[in-house]
């Protein structure tokens, strides 16, 4: 029988911080979004204090009841590396692992010997031993059911982080009491449409005529219904699908008012986007640049604009930064206080693909970019960078509560001292 599992890291960003600071084990911890804006991850202790997802930090930081909360700026290099470590541990326990997000991974548990509950419990223990990240695991005959089982495992402490929905009778008991909005793939709008027709629980959704579901939710709804009935429609991916586009955008730590500062920022975004392209062995044939002011600042005049250009497919940093600055020049206006900008790349294709008779890849450019990437991989991102991307970069996003990058930066690794 086919069995899929889903393992989910609990309060992942916060757990990454706790992994290297044992003093935080029972303290409320909150990780903030870019620019130290709002809460994007909370431990159960922080949730108990009433801190809501998306709550602005500047509005809650001075509340007396939150005096003991440990606040952290987002530390994405650390989180990405910890996710990689979790993935590597899972490969020792399951024949196939499909990353779904930075903190969730699907597992192929089909045909594995022994008791599946014990195996999943051992998997959780191995992940926690190696990475110090607590997890929950749910499993069932389809990916949709596995996702639902994981939700149940996390939502109900009495299940001790494990939920088995392989048995149809067990599933039906849960289906009768769970709202249809908890199904993976049913968003707020679709849940509202289903509610209008009297479908409020998962059981009602599963038992409804497929033609009725198709009328409300098209083929996606029919597929979800089949999955919830135990018919697998979504397979585990052996290889991650090629991305269709990528973007590098940031909100600034202070408003940008000069073209030179904005040029630095956009150059830096293009450099990072080019690095991402090369890391995935892709070229881009379409580039866009946008800039905008803060629409929430009533004293600042609102302005936003974007420019795009189709170009020869490339991942060359010099070519992409030159094009980005050309586009920026066409949309820049003096007299505004800019709060955000970004570079977006589209029309992605495997690197080296010749699209026209005149697209001749330059071996010199390829060697130069390879050398640049090698230096930055060895000595850390930004060790070798374009001067036009800035040195001081006083406009960088605020990260006033940033922890060390314990696993990705030599100078910030933990030190062990013997006495």
């Amino acid at each position: 029988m086919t069995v899929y599992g889903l393992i989910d890291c609990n309060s992942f960003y916060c757990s990454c911080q706790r992994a290297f600071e044992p003093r935080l084990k029972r303290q409320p911890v909150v990780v903030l979004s870019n620019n130290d804006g709002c809460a994007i991850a909370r431990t159960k202790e922080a949730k108990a204090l009433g801190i809501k997802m998306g709550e602005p930090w500047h509005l809650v930081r001075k509340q007396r009841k939150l005096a003991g909360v440990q606040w952290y700026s987002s530390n994405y290099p650390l989180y990405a590396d910890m996710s990689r470590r979790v993935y590597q541990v899972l490969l020792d326990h399951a024949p196939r692992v499909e990353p779904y997000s930075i903190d969730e991974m699907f597992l192929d548990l089909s045909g594995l010997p022994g008791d599946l509950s014990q195996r999943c419990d051992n998997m959780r223990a191995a992940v926690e031993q190696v990475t110090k990240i607590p997890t929950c695991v749910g499993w069932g005959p389809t990916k949709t059911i596995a996702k639902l089982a994981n939700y149940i495992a996390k939502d109900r402490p009495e299940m001790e982080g494990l939920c088995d929905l392989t048995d149809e009778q067990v599933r039906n008991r849960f289906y009768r009491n769970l709202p249809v909005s908890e199904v993976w793939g049913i968003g707020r709008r679709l849940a509202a449409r289903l509610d209008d027709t009297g479908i409020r629980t998962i059981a009602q959704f599963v038992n409804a005529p497929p033609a009725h579901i198709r009328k409300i939710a098209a083929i996606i709804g029919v597929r979800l219904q089949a999955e919830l009935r135990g018919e697998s429609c979504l397979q585990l991916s052996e290889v991650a699908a090629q991305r269709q586009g990528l973007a590098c955008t940031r909100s600034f730590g202070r408003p940008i008012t000069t073209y030179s500062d904005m040029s630095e920022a956009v150059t830096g975004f293009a450099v990072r986007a080019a690095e991402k392209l090369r890391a995935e062995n892709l070229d881009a044939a379409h580039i866009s640049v946008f800039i905008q002011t803060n629409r929430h600042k009533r004293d600042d005049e609102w302005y936003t604009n974007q420019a795009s250009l189709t170009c020869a497919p490339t991942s060359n940093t010099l070519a992409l930064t030159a094009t980005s600055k050309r586009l920026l020049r066409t949309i820049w206006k003096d007299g505004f206080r800019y709060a955000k900008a970004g570079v977006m790349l589209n029309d992605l294709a495997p690197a080296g693909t010749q699209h026209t008779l005149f697209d001749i890849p330059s071996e010199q450019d390829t060697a130069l970019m390879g050398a640049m990437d090698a230096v930055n991989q060895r000595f850390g991102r930004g060790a070798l960078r374009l001067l036009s991307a800035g040195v001081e970069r006083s406009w960088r996003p605020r990260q006033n509560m940033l922890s060390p990058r314990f696993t990705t930066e030599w100078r910030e690794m933990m030190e062990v001292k013997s006495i």
Side-chain angles (χ1 to χ4, degrees):
M1 182 180 74
T2 301
V3 180
Y4 294 105
L6 180 72
I7 187 166
D8 180 21
C9 301
N10 302 340
S11 301
F12 180 62
Y13 292 174
C14 297
S15 295
C16 289
Q17 302 294 162
R18 280 179 164 175
F20 298 94
E21 298 185 70
R23 66 182 180 84
L24 301 175
K25 187 171 183 180
R26 303 193 186 283
Q27 292 191 39
V29 178
V30 178
V31 173
L32 302 172
S33 61
N34 288 331
N35 228 14
D36 294 344
C38 58
I40 57 171
R42 308 153 294 156
T43 60
K44 62 180 181 181
E45 295 85 359
K47 294 175 184 177
L49 291 173
I51 300 175
K52 298 180 176 59
M53 182 67 79
E55 193 152 22
W57 179 64
H58 72 278
L59 295 180
V60 300
R61 59 179 174 175
K62 294 182 180 179
Q63 294 182 17
R64 287 187 180 181
K65 68 175 183 178
L66 305 182
V69 175
Q70 302 296 311
W71 306 90
Y72 284 91
S73 303
S74 298
N75 193 337
Y76 295 119
L78 173 64
Y79 307 152
D81 188 60
M82 294 298 284
S83 178
R84 177 188 62 80
R85 291 171 184 237
V86 171
Y87 175 76
Q88 289 181 326
V89 173
L90 295 176
L91 287 176
D92 294 332
H93 294 264
R96 292 193 297 161
V97 181
E98 177 193 298
Y100 173 62
S101 66
I102 194 170
D103 63 341
E104 292 179 281
M105 300 179 195
F106 282 106
L107 312 165
D108 183 0
L109 304 177
S110 306
L112 296 180
D115 181 72
L116 200 51
S117 293
Q118 186 60 54
R119 178 177 287 275
C120 289
D121 197 33
N122 293 341
M123 195 182 305
R124 292 180 66 223
V127 170
E128 188 157 10
Q129 181 182 23
V130 174
T131 68
K132 304 299 183 289
I133 304 291
T135 60
C136 291
V137 183
W139 61 96
T142 71
K143 292 175 77 172
T144 302
I145 292 174
K147 180 79 170 171
L148 184 65
N150 181 270
Y151 162 76
I152 296 170
K154 180 179 287 189
D155 186 60
R156 304 194 178 196
E158 69 272 14
M159 306 199 75
E160 299 182 341
L162 298 171
C163 181
D164 179 0
L165 291 186
T166 53
D167 185 270
E168 186 177 0
Q169 292 184 343
V170 174
R171 291 200 301 271
N172 290 336
R173 286 201 299 269
F174 282 109
Y175 285 178
R176 286 195 293 268
N177 299 311
L178 287 173
V180 72
S181 58
E182 294 301 340
V183 175
W184 177 41
I186 295 184
R188 188 180 303 173
R189 291 182 180 178
L190 178 54
R193 292 205 302 271
L194 291 168
D195 184 79
D196 290 340
T197 65
I199 297 176
R200 298 178 177 84
T201 67
I202 298 177
Q204 291 171 329
F205 180 81
V206 170
N207 296 324
H212 180 60
I213 296 299
R214 188 183 186 105
K215 187 181 297 184
I216 301 171
I219 191 64
I220 294 175
V222 176
R223 188 180 298 140
L224 285 176
Q225 188 185 52
E227 284 257 320
L228 289 167
R229 289 175 172 175
E231 304 169 25
S232 182
C233 302
L234 304 171
Q235 305 302 313
L236 215 63
S237 300
E238 294 282 0
V239 180
Q242 177 186 302
R243 68 159 84 209
Q244 302 301 308
L246 64 85
C248 185
T249 70
R250 292 290 185 276
S251 295
F252 303 123
R254 63 165 178 81
I256 283 184
T257 57
T258 65
Y259 179 80
S260 59
D261 281 349
M262 184 62 80
S263 180
E264 280 186 2
V266 168
T267 298
F269 300 155
V271 168
R272 181 65 188 129
E275 290 173 348
K276 291 181 179 181
L277 279 179
R278 294 194 295 274
E280 299 187 31
N281 198 34
L282 296 172
D283 286 339
H286 189 271
I287 183 167
S288 301
V289 174
F290 77 87
I291 55 177
Q292 67 182 47
T293 59
N294 189 340
R295 69 170 70 229
H296 304 293
K297 288 280 188 180
R298 295 180 180 179
D299 296 335
D300 294 346
E301 189 175 352
W302 168 249
Y303 173 74
T304 183
N305 206 344
Q306 175 178 313
S308 304
L309 184 68
T310 297
C311 59
T314 183
S315 62
N316 185 296
T317 294
L318 301 179
L320 291 172
T321 54
T323 303
S324 297
K325 287 195 285 188
R326 281 175 54 199
L327 293 172
L328 173 62
R329 178 62 72 180
T330 66
I331 60 177
W332 171 264
K333 282 189 177 182
D334 290 323
F336 291 94
R337 293 164 55 85
Y338 294 97
K340 187 175 183 178
V343 171
M344 298 174 290
L345 303 179
N346 290 292
D347 291 352
L348 307 188
T353 302
Q354 187 168 345
H355 293 261
T356 72
L357 181 64
F358 303 102
D359 291 339
I360 303 175
S362 168
E363 294 183 4
Q364 213 170 22
D365 288 349
T366 302
L368 175 61
M369 293 300 105
M372 189 173 181
D373 290 340
V375 170
N376 287 330
Q377 287 172 5
R378 181 173 181 180
F379 298 102
R381 187 190 301 167
L384 182 62
R385 63 174 185 263
L386 300 184
L387 184 61
S388 57
V391 178
E392 294 183 358
R393 297 187 292 176
S394 62
W395 43 264
R396 285 183 297 184
R398 289 188 297 274
Q399 290 183 302
N400 296 328
M401 295 159 284
L402 185 66
S403 68
R405 294 162 292 179
F406 296 103
T407 66
T408 60
E409 177 59 53
W410 281 106
R411 292 166 294 184
E412 298 176 16
M413 290 182 68
M414 299 181 71
E415 296 182 2
V416 179
K417 298 181 180 179
S418 60
I419 299 176

